[in-house]
Amino acid sequence: MKDSVRRGDDAGSSLVAVLIVMLVLTVAGLTLASIVVNTSGVVTDSRARAESRATADAGLAATVAALKRGELACPMAPATRTATGVKVSADTGALSYDYAITCTSTTATVRVNADVRGARTAVQADYAYSSSLGEGGDMVFFGTTDITFNSNVIVTDPGRRVNVVAPQASVKCNATIPGNLTLKGDLHTQSGCNVSGNVAAGGILDMCCGSDTFHGDLTLRGTAASIVRGTIKGTIQANGALEFGWENKTVGQSVSTTGNVKLGKVRIQGKLTLPAAKTLTNDEGTVAGGIDRPTAVAPVPPLTLPTWFEYRFAAADWPGYTVVALAASGTGPGTCGYFNQNPGSGWTWLSTLAADTIIDARACSGLNSENGSTPVVQLKKNLVILAHKFDLGSLTVKASTSATTKPSLVFLTEDRTPTDTNPTCASNQGTLIINGTVIEPSVRAMGYTPCTIDVGSKGTDQWTGTLYGGTWTPGGLFTFTADPIGLPGMGAEHGISIETKTVGVLLRQRDVTYEMLGSWTP
């Protein structure tokens, strides 16, 4: 009896022991599972953080490289964008990042955000930055007949000297030019020609009136006689005879010529130099700096003039642009009639473009906004319009409020004869007409045509950017504001002003607090 009781007690003790062992093993298993789960989470979080860091660093490097190559603008207000294509390891897909760029006159600041599965990294770097403007032209006309700048042409002062260039013609002037005037031929003033910069002519000067004023230096390469009746505030260098009028005007600095000199009622503040063998006739002139009569006087150095830039369209010249070719027939979207016929819906459709775009209208006879409508285009992105001719009557173009940088706009009529270095207007090409056209300062526009740029009579025209054409015909009131813009491959040798922006050395790089870039200010 006692043995059976003892065996029952032993069995009960064994059961308790088994239960205790099972409990211990269960707890150990749960603990181990928890450790494994937590470790997996730590590993996953660590990988996300590492990929986020790598994405931000790679995105910063890619953004700065594109900025240095000139593929990205350097705006004065932050410009934001999302970019993809960064691969940070062999077994992960391409990750995306957001970047923002903003510049001052001395610093380019780049900020990059990366968010990889909730792991967020933000980096910011400051680089030295500078901008310089080459001394090319802002209004360049290659016609061989006289080019006229009359009092209806108002060239505004953009804070630096504007450059007006006539590489193959003479110029008639009674306008104010806040900059330099360069021409191959003769300059004829017609009262009220006021040039704030230098005047360089391949020919002579016929300055008609006392109201004409040149504020800079005057160089004349023609060997015939020049007449000076207005004010020259700088120096005069000439290759021919000089005759000064009786208007009681002043030359602010020295005068040098290889020819004869006749002084009416004029005061030369500097020295007068002419060869001993030439004739000096002094009626009532005053030469404050004295008169020098050497055996010979060096001629004025030859004038360097730009060559015509031959451009025939190639889509490869415009990387990143989407090409939209218009169909010749029809009136709906994607057709010539969509632009050319009232209500001109194609023009306002341009406001919807969310990417850099080329409108290829070479299937049309031309593009025309003077169709009974008064379209207003609000650009978000850069735009190129390619056509055989343009009538831009009653068209207004400005930047959209959502544009992150100043949009560039190009009206392009290609030159199909690329080897003669002269503007060649083909038989089915025609004039670029500006008539009631307003290109607001929020947009930078270029008009390029081997044909004529013609200003109509409406008298409300405004153009911000550059004009580069075969020739030029002024009309009603026309206000021009220089803002450098060119075509791919254009340089200062082709006569345009080129703005060179340089991103230099790294000044500082740091991690920053992650924040949405739309509200970011540096």
Side-chain angles (χ1 to χ4, degrees), residues 119-470:
R120 292 179 165 183
T121 305
V123 293
Q124 185 168 313
D126 298 328
Y127 287 81
Y129 175 76
S130 62
S131 176
S132 62
L133 187 66
E135 286 293 321
D138 300 291
M139 302 178 80
V140 188
F141 306 113
F142 281 80
T144 56
T145 57
D146 286 356
I147 291 173
T148 299
F149 282 84
N150 60 29
S151 58
N152 282 336
V153 180
I154 300 173
V155 183
T156 65
D157 186 348
R160 52 101 178 161
R161 288 183 175 179
V162 175
N163 294 296
V164 176
V165 186
Q168 302 188 73
S170 296
V171 170
K172 296 178 180 178
C173 171
N174 65 326
T176 295
I177 299 175
N180 303 317
L181 175 60
T182 304
L183 61 150
K184 181 179 181 178
D186 302 332
L187 176 58
H188 305 273
T189 69
Q190 298 174 319
S191 180
C193 181
N194 190 328
V195 181
S196 69
N198 299 323
V199 175
I204 57 99
L205 171 66
D206 178 13
M207 182 180 261
C208 75
C209 308
S211 59
D212 300 320
T213 302
F214 300 164
H215 295 260
D217 297 332
L218 169 65
T219 54
L220 302 167
R221 291 155 184 84
T223 56
S226 291
I227 299 173
V228 182
R229 291 196 170 95
T231 298
I232 311 294
K233 294 190 176 182
T235 63
I236 299 177
Q237 291 179 279
N239 282 345
L242 292 174
E243 179 181 340
F244 294 87
W246 293 85
E247 287 74 15
N248 196 23
K249 296 299 178 179
T250 300
V251 177
Q253 298 183 41
S254 296
V255 175
S256 174
T257 181
T258 62
N260 301 325
V261 175
K262 184 176 182 179
L263 302 178
K265 192 171 184 180
V266 63
R267 178 179 178 84
I268 298 174
Q269 299 283 46
K271 181 170 63 175
L272 171 62
T273 302
L274 71 158
K278 297 298 180 178
T279 301
L280 171 61
T281 304
N282 190 351
D283 293 323
E284 294 187 24
T286 301
V287 182
I291 299 172
D292 187 12
R293 304 294 302 269
T295 301
V297 174
V300 183
L303 184 61
T304 300
L305 292 165
T307 56
W308 170 256
F309 179 66
E310 307 273 6
Y311 186 75
R312 189 159 190 173
F313 174 75
D317 293 337
W318 305 87
Y321 280 70
T322 300
V323 179
V324 178
L326 301 185
S329 61
T331 59
T335 68
C336 302
Y338 196 48
F339 286 81
N340 292 339
Q341 296 182 25
N342 189 287
S345 300
W347 294 100
T348 53
W349 167 77
L350 298 174
S351 301
T352 68
L353 297 174
D356 296 343
T357 302
I358 297 169
I359 304 298
D360 185 351
R362 287 176 294 179
C364 317
S365 60
L367 280 190
N368 175 24
S369 58
E370 191 71 282
N371 51 34
S373 63
T374 55
V376 177
V377 179
Q378 301 184 61
L379 291 180
K380 299 182 180 72
K381 297 294 182 179
N382 300 325
L383 177 64
V384 177
I385 305 180
L386 174 64
H388 299 313
K389 59 184 177 181
F390 293 92
D391 185 344
L392 303 180
S394 305
L395 174 68
T396 297
V397 184
K398 58 185 175 181
S400 168
T401 55
S402 63
T404 55
T405 59
K406 178 182 285 191
S408 294
L409 171 63
V410 177
F411 295 103
L412 173 59
T413 297
E414 59 183 348
D415 190 326
R416 300 182 198 145
T417 309
T419 58
D420 62 354
T421 64
N422 278 304
T424 305
C425 187
S427 58
N428 68 335
Q429 294 179 318
T431 303
L432 168 60
I433 298 174
I434 300 169
N435 193 22
T437 308
V438 177
I439 308 295
E440 293 193 0
S442 59
V443 172
R444 179 187 296 112
M446 180 170 198
Y448 172 98
T449 176
C451 306
T452 299
I453 297 174
D454 180 84
V455 177
S457 60
K458 288 188 178 180
T460 57
D461 299 297
Q462 300 177 37
W463 191 281
T464 304
T466 299
L467 289 173
Y468 194 92

Side-chain angles (χ1 to χ4, degrees), residues 474-505:
L477 193 65
F478 174 78
T479 302
F480 177 84
T481 302
D483 196 349
I485 176 175
L487 297 179
M490 258 186 170
E493 70 273 19
H494 302 114
I496 66 164
S497 294
I498 299 293
E499 188 174 16
T500 302
K501 298 179 179 181
T502 303
V503 180
V505 299

